[in-house]
Amino acid sequence: MTKQHGNDFSASLENAANDIERLLEQLLSVKPVDGEIDRPQRIIDSMRYGALAGGKRLRPFLVIESAALFGVPRSQALMAGAALECIHCYSLVHDDLPAMDNDDLRRGRPTTHKKFDDATAILAGDALLTIAFDILSREETHPDPAIRIALVQQLARASGLGGMVGGQLLDLAAEGRFGTSPIQDERSIVHMQSMKTGALLHFACIAGGILGNASKADRDALSRYGLAIGVAFQIADDLLDVESDAATLGKAAGKDAAAGKATLVGILGIPTARERLARCVADAEAALAGFGDRGAILRETARFIAARNK
Amino acid sequence: MTKQHGNDFSASLENAANDIERLLEQLLSVKPVDGEIDRPQRIIDSMRYGALAGGKRLRPFLVIESAALFGVPRSQALMAGAALECIHCYSLVHDDLPAMDNDDLRRGRPTTHKKFDDATAILAGDALLTIAFDILSREETHPDPAIRIALVQQLARASGLGGMVGGQLLDLAAEGRFGTSPIQDERSIVHMQSMKTGALLHFACIAGGILGNASKADRDALSRYGLAIGVAFQIADDLLDVESDAATLGKAAGKDAAAGKATLVGILGIPTARERLARCVADAEAALAGFGDRGAILRETARFIAARNK
């Protein structure tokens, strides 16, 4: 099941990453919107630093491939994917701050606050968060305002207090940060991770259904797929943290254990975690059954997420 | 021109503040949207602390009064006003952080990071920023998605890199924070302030025109009014900083001078700044000429902004 990923898949992933990089490059350029207000160069520089750091661009890739199921023009999926990537990147910039995870290294280079300073990193994160909704509001994302506002609503909910941000707070609480008892039970860890990393991955998968005005059944299928790969992603991430080294990972390894943070892998043990991971991949593939051959790339994406080594 | 404010005006302002407080109380309640995901209590508590601190609620009041010009249902204006207030409050929470302005006191009580901690304040700010767009996306804000997405776009632009956040960065640069030379010239100060505080006040005034699907001429009038009161607000704020004390202000006074920060009042001197302020009020009143008697409260609002003592 975890066979070598085909050339088609690798090429699709790389193409998407290149297209997203190019679009973000353009969206975060110095040219003022409407030509009316000067933008301070430092905020542009720090936003670009935080968002143009490369990476797999997995979330936009999921938007593109889920949108492709319904024949959505690629340019629209790229816009929604770029907005989502701005949210993902802002969360990394803020998460790395000294007051949060205090990380100096991200994708093999200094984090945004190390490269600039803490105040600039806070503002760069705020600006990336904000521009995500600006991007979704534009006609290039979809000609129908009802579709655009649906994307705004779903992205806000996936990334806000009931999604990513809430999950980040639970994650800090799990370390005992606020005088809280560290969480150690499986249910609480799964819940925290479903918010912290699962919610954005889930949004990436349902975004294609929103853009394509898909049927309820198709949206539900994408939602089930998104939930399954969210859990798979996190288990794979935890396994990487345990088994990898900083050189491969491009960031500090073994950090969770060092922080005394409970992970699913720590609780279940590596073999059981691997079984759980395989089951998530199977669930993800099963969710796509109704799409037949059209779902091939998304099925391979689920296997890729489980097998990735950085 | 700066006569005592009428009972009608004071009552309108107080009613709006009460209505906004009640709506924010409800929007930031613990009840989960859709009942699907638990929200961590600490993020709710910190968001509420940052947003339910009372205050004049001037920005929502401007949304309500500009919307009233076009017969927009008050409930819709309140939703847009609440979204805007979430943006305003998030900016205060982040601005007060040690890495930014390092303020311990806001509206006479500990700032959010003093009451909680820095990490929680960063996340509370992120969550308030995000929920603003969630609020705008809801049908209660306006039944027409095209109107809702227009509000999303304008609010994102007013608060992002070309608006408030960009202005905050310029403000830090003006203190020489990044090894930059402190800005001392009038044009640069006006430009920075038009972004930092002017952009949100301008949004508050045009929001009513968007909600009311107003004519181009009426929107332009509100835009001119919004620009004029933005400058007036800032000059009045600078005068307060120079002339007031912490007890009246509810926050540290004389802070700008202590930070070696140039202000318009510092450059122009108090008498000239007062003249400039009066001219802004006159410009604001003139912009509303076309609305006749319907513009009475907004005209009084301009005078109130110039004369306020906290």
Side-chain angles (χ1 to χ4, degrees):
Chain A
M1 195 195 289
T2 55
K3 64 175 183 207
Q4 195 62 36
H5 302 293
N7 285 336
D8 276 8
F9 173 80
S10 300
S12 298
L13 188 60
E14 204 181 314
N15 278 342
N18 289 338
D19 287 352
I20 280 290
E21 195 80 16
R22 207 172 304 122
L23 180 56
L24 284 172
E25 164 75 42
Q26 185 188 320
L27 291 166
L28 302 175
S29 73
V30 289
K31 281 168 294 182
V33 183
D34 301 333
E36 60 193 347
I37 298 181
D38 296 334
R39 278 121 173 86
Q41 192 59 44
R42 190 180 181 85
I43 192 82
I44 297 274
D45 291 345
S46 55
M47 289 171 75
R48 291 172 63 89
Y49 188 82
L52 298 176
K56 290 181 297 296
R57 308 296 191 187
L58 179 62
R59 291 159 194 77
F61 179 69
L62 286 164
V63 177
I64 291 166
E65 292 302 332
S66 65
L69 291 174
F70 311 101
V72 172
R74 186 177 176 88
S75 64
Q76 295 174 7
L78 282 167
M79 286 290 283
L84 172 55
E85 194 67 6
C86 286
I87 293 284
H88 174 57
C89 291
Y90 113 72
S91 79
L92 301 181
V93 171
H94 280 186
D95 220 23
D96 287 336
L97 284 165
M100 303 274 293
D101 280 356
N102 195 20
D103 273 310
D104 294 351
L105 197 61
R106 162 82 60 190
R107 288 179 187 145
R109 31 169 239 171
T111 46
T112 304
H113 68 275
K114 292 304 271 185
K115 177 76 176 178
F116 295 84
D117 62 281
D118 295 359
T120 301
I122 291 169
L123 293 172
D126 292 345
L128 283 170
L129 197 177
T130 307
I131 205 171
F133 294 103
D134 181 346
I135 293 168
L136 288 184
S137 77
R138 301 185 197 181
E139 272 209 64
E140 298 94 303
T141 300
H142 199 283
D144 183 352
I147 299 278
R148 302 206 296 279
I149 204 74
L151 290 170
V152 165
Q153 181 163 86
Q154 293 305 316
L155 183 57
R157 291 184 183 174
S159 61
L161 74 155
M164 184 185 72
V165 169
Q168 284 176 304
L169 192 122
L170 286 179
D171 195 26
L172 294 174
E175 296 172 10
R177 179 78 78 100
F178 312 119
T180 41
S181 319
I183 62 171
Q184 302 285 353
D185 64 295
E186 184 182 332
R187 205 200 67 84
S188 300
I189 292 171
V190 169
H191 177 60
M192 178 272 283
Q193 293 177 341
S194 74
M195 292 171 74
K196 190 182 178 189
T197 56
L200 280 200
L201 288 165
H202 180 259
F203 171 82
C205 301
I206 64 168
I210 296 171
L211 282 167
N213 208 8
S215 68
K216 173 89 168 60
D218 283 352
R219 286 183 197 225
D220 287 349
L222 284 173
S223 179
R224 286 197 305 279
Y225 172 80
L227 291 175
I229 63 161
V231 180
F233 182 91
Q234 193 58 52
I235 297 176
D237 215 50
D238 289 348
L239 285 166
L240 277 174
D241 189 68
V242 174
E243 298 177 335
S244 199
D245 58 53
T248 313
L249 213 52
K251 62 181 178 185
K255 241 202 140 205
D256 291 344
K261 193 190 287 185
T263 69
L264 211 51
V265 173
I267 287 178
L268 301 177
I270 292 179
T272 307
R274 290 214 169 280
E275 277 170 39
R276 178 80 60 95
L277 180 57
R279 208 192 314 149
C280 288
V281 173
D283 287 349
E285 295 193 84
L288 300 174
F291 296 114
D293 285 351
R294 289 186 298 147
I297 289 190
L298 285 178
R299 277 192 285 275
E300 189 145 1
T301 308
R303 298 192 292 268
F304 168 79
I305 285 171
R308 75 206 163 90
N309 65 357
K310 64 176 179 177
Chain B
M1 194 196 290
T2 53
K3 66 172 184 210
Q4 195 64 34
H5 302 292
N7 286 337
D8 276 6
F9 174 80
S10 300
S12 299
L13 188 61
E14 204 181 312
N15 278 342
N18 289 338
D19 287 351
I20 280 290
E21 195 80 14
R22 206 172 305 123
L23 180 56
L24 284 173
E25 165 76 41
Q26 184 188 319
L27 291 166
L28 302 176
S29 74
V30 289
K31 281 168 293 182
V33 182
D34 302 332
E36 60 193 350
I37 297 182
D38 296 333
R39 279 124 172 86
Q41 192 58 43
R42 190 180 180 85
I43 192 82
I44 298 274
D45 291 345
S46 56
M47 288 171 76
R48 291 171 64 89
Y49 188 83
L52 298 176
K56 290 180 299 296
R57 309 295 190 186
L58 178 63
R59 290 160 195 78
F61 179 69
L62 286 165
V63 177
I64 291 166
E65 293 302 332
S66 65
L69 291 174
F70 310 101
V72 172
R74 186 177 175 87
S75 64
Q76 295 175 6
L78 283 167
M79 287 289 283
L84 173 55
E85 194 67 6
C86 286
I87 294 283
H88 174 58
C89 290
Y90 113 72
S91 80
L92 301 180
V93 171
H94 279 187
D95 220 24
D96 287 337
L97 284 165
M100 303 273 293
D101 280 357
N102 195 21
D103 272 311
D104 294 351
L105 197 61
R106 161 83 58 191
R107 288 178 187 146
R109 29 169 241 171
T111 46
T112 304
H113 69 275
K114 292 304 269 185
K115 177 76 176 177
F116 294 84
D117 62 283
D118 295 359
T120 300
I122 291 169
L123 292 172
D126 292 344
L128 284 170
L129 196 178
T130 306
I131 206 171
F133 294 102
D134 181 346
I135 293 168
L136 289 184
S137 78
R138 301 186 197 180
E139 273 209 64
E140 298 95 302
T141 300
H142 198 283
D144 183 351
I147 300 278
R148 302 206 295 279
I149 204 72
L151 290 170
V152 165
Q153 181 163 87
Q154 294 305 315
L155 182 57
R157 291 183 183 175
S159 60
L161 74 156
M164 183 185 71
V165 169
Q168 284 176 304
L169 193 124
L170 286 179
D171 195 27
L172 294 174
E175 296 173 9
R177 178 77 77 100
F178 312 119
T180 41
S181 319
I183 62 171
Q184 302 286 354
D185 64 296
E186 183 182 332
R187 204 199 67 85
S188 299
I189 292 171
V190 168
H191 177 60
M192 179 272 283
Q193 292 177 340
S194 75
M195 291 171 74
K196 190 182 178 191
T197 55
L200 280 200
L201 288 164
H202 180 259
F203 171 82
C205 301
I206 64 168
I210 296 172
L211 282 166
N213 208 9
S215 69
K216 173 90 168 60
D218 284 351
R219 286 182 197 228
D220 287 349
L222 284 173
S223 179
R224 286 197 305 280
Y225 172 80
L227 292 175
I229 64 160
V231 180
F233 182 91
Q234 193 59 54
I235 297 176
D237 215 50
D238 289 347
L239 285 166
L240 277 174
D241 189 69
V242 175
E243 298 176 334
S244 198
D245 58 57
T248 312
L249 212 52
K251 62 181 178 184
K255 240 201 139 203
D256 291 343
K261 195 191 287 186
T263 69
L264 211 50
V265 173
I267 288 178
L268 301 176
I270 292 179
T272 308
R274 291 213 168 281
E275 277 170 38
R276 177 80 59 96
L277 180 56
R279 208 192 314 148
C280 288
V281 173
D283 287 349
E285 295 193 86
L288 300 174
F291 296 113
D293 285 350
R294 290 186 296 147
I297 290 191
L298 285 178
R299 277 192 285 276
E300 188 144 3
T301 307
R303 297 192 292 269
F304 168 78
I305 285 172
R308 75 205 164 90
N309 65 358
K310 65 177 179 175

